[in-house]
Amino acid sequence: MTTSTTDDDGASLSRLGRLALGLGLALQATEDFRDMEDTIDYAESAGVPLPSVLAPLASGTMVSAGVGIALWRLPRLATGAAATFLTVVTLTMHDFWTKEPDEGRSGERLAFFGNLAMLGGVLIALREAWRR
């Protein structure tokens, strides 16, 4: 029985993509812990309830989800958590359309589109997780 080189390349490419996506998500989330006080202040300014609890919890969840995606452990849970996080945070914390130009609209727009791109990758991984 022969194996297809194309199938092997596709599986390797998927593994590499999951590794890059997961590490990118986890490492970006670890940045929140470098200055958690600033992260909490930012969450509070966006109207997040209990920011001193929810900001570290959200960051920790994203680190865990990213590691889960990178290692492809509990992939449904990891991708589901990342998709939920990115959806909520993108729509509530990076709502550039509600900002005035002098209120940091361009920075929020950049964060929104960056999160949107990450969400796209996570949704592809989520589909792969549910296909298995």
Side-chain angles (χ1 to χ4, degrees):
M1 179 178 211
T2 61
T3 60
S4 169
T5 304
T6 305
D7 289 343
D8 292 343
D9 291 344
S12 295
L13 194 56
S14 286
R15 278 193 294 275
L16 181 60
R18 290 191 310 258
L19 182 64
L21 177 63
L23 286 177
L25 294 171
L27 292 171
Q28 182 167 345
T30 62
E31 290 296 312
D32 294 341
F33 291 106
R34 292 183 187 270
D35 188 357
M36 185 50 69
E37 188 174 316
D38 188 45
T39 301
I40 291 168
D41 290 345
Y42 182 68
E44 186 173 30
S45 74
V48 172
L50 300 169
S52 62
V53 174
L54 292 180
L57 179 64
S59 297
T61 298
M62 198 57 165
V63 170
S64 299
V67 170
I69 292 169
L71 299 176
W72 208 237
R73 299 293 181 253
L74 301 173
R76 292 178 181 177
L77 179 62
T79 55
T84 300
F85 171 90
L86 285 166
T87 300
V88 171
V89 167
T90 301
L91 293 174
T92 60
M93 305 265 312
H94 302 302
D95 53 347
F96 67 91
W97 55 90
T98 66
K99 307 284 188 236
E100 295 298 323
D102 60 339
E103 290 182 319
R105 179 187 284 178
S106 63
E108 292 301 336
R109 184 174 39 239
L110 183 62
F112 179 90
F113 289 126
N115 279 12
L116 189 62
M118 289 186 285
L119 178 59
V122 167
L123 291 175
I124 292 167
L126 180 62
R127 179 174 177 251
E128 186 175 333
W130 281 96
R131 292 175 99 185
R132 293 179 179 228

